[in-house]
Amino acid sequence: MKVLILPGIGNSGPDHWQSHWEQTNRGYSRVEQRNWDSPACSDWVASLEASVKHHGEETILVAHSLACLLVAHWAARTELKIKAALLVAVPNPQGPVFPSQATGFAPLPMASLPFKSILIASADDPYGDIVHSEQCAASWGSTLVNIGEAGHINGASGLGAWPAGHQWLHALAMA
């Protein structure tokens, strides 16, 4: 399975489930961004485009937070094909706590994604409420999974290697 790990703003630290997955699974690689702390959407899209071009059509994207918005913007612009995407903790770029240093991510493309996707949301995510996640899932054609109260589904959520999330990734790979 070819998996591209797409962290959000600030990159994913050692306690983040994305880092656990990358360290313990061959074939998983992180898309590096030039600027993790003041991301420009167009720069991040260019990095993702180059990575997908290199890895090919069987690639599955695993996006967290801001990287979910990246996937939507990339899908609206690219002609490349991928197998699927796992979208975790979609933030609202119009929300009150959206990081001001992240530029170009609004307005958010709401067209149906041209690949299978699962959107995993938390009922108490401070960056994107469940209504926003439901709207994104409906617009993008994603299967919505609400995992209850898990914060921003990041390292601070205490999920460790998050085996349940990995099971959803495997379900996408097998679909």
Side-chain angles (χ1 to χ4, degrees), residues 47-101:
S47 295
L48 179 54
E49 180 79 358
S51 293
V52 170
K53 192 175 287 185
H54 174 76
H55 286 85
E57 292 186 4
E58 290 302 306
T59 300
I60 300 174
L61 305 178
V62 175
H64 179 257
S65 192
L66 187 65
C68 297
L69 308 187
L70 162 64
V71 170
H73 281 278
W74 172 80
R77 299 176 192 177
T78 192
E79 294 184 16
L80 299 175
K81 306 262 186 258
I82 60 166
K83 183 173 178 96
L86 185 68
L87 307 168
V88 180
V90 179
N92 184 346
Q94 306 296 337
V97 295
F98 188 79
S100 59
Q101 64 271 33

Side-chain angles (χ1 to χ4, degrees), residues 21-164:
W21 292 8
E22 183 183 10
Q23 291 165 3
T24 57
N25 294 278
R26 293 187 64 209
Y28 289 33
S29 58
R30 184 175 302 230
V31 174
E32 292 296 332
Q33 298 294 349
R34 186 173 42 178
N35 191 334
W36 287 109
D37 298 322
S38 295
C41 185
S42 58
D43 291 344
W44 279 34
V45 166
S47 295
L48 179 54
E49 180 79 358
S51 293
V52 170
K53 192 175 287 185
H54 174 76
H55 286 85
E57 292 186 4
E58 290 302 306
T59 300
I60 300 174
L61 305 178
V62 175
H64 179 257
S65 192
L66 187 65
C68 297
L69 308 187
L70 162 64
V71 170
H73 281 278
W74 172 80
R77 299 176 192 177
T78 192
E79 294 184 16
L80 299 175
K81 306 262 186 258
I82 60 166
K83 183 173 178 96
L86 185 68
L87 307 168
V88 180
V90 179
N92 184 346
Q94 306 296 337
V97 295
F98 188 79
S100 59
Q101 64 271 33
T103 59
F105 292 90
L108 183 57
M110 297 304 272
S112 182
L113 298 175
F115 42 81
K116 293 175 287 188
S117 59
I118 296 174
L119 190 157
I120 300 177
S122 166
D124 63 347
D125 188 336
Y127 295 98
D129 64 27
I130 197 67
V131 171
H132 175 71
S133 295
E134 290 167 349
Q135 291 168 343
C136 289
S139 295
W140 294 340
S142 304
T143 300
L144 178 67
V145 177
N146 180 344
I147 63 169
E149 294 184 356
H152 194 47
I153 316 176
N154 58 7
S157 297
L159 299 170
W162 194 33

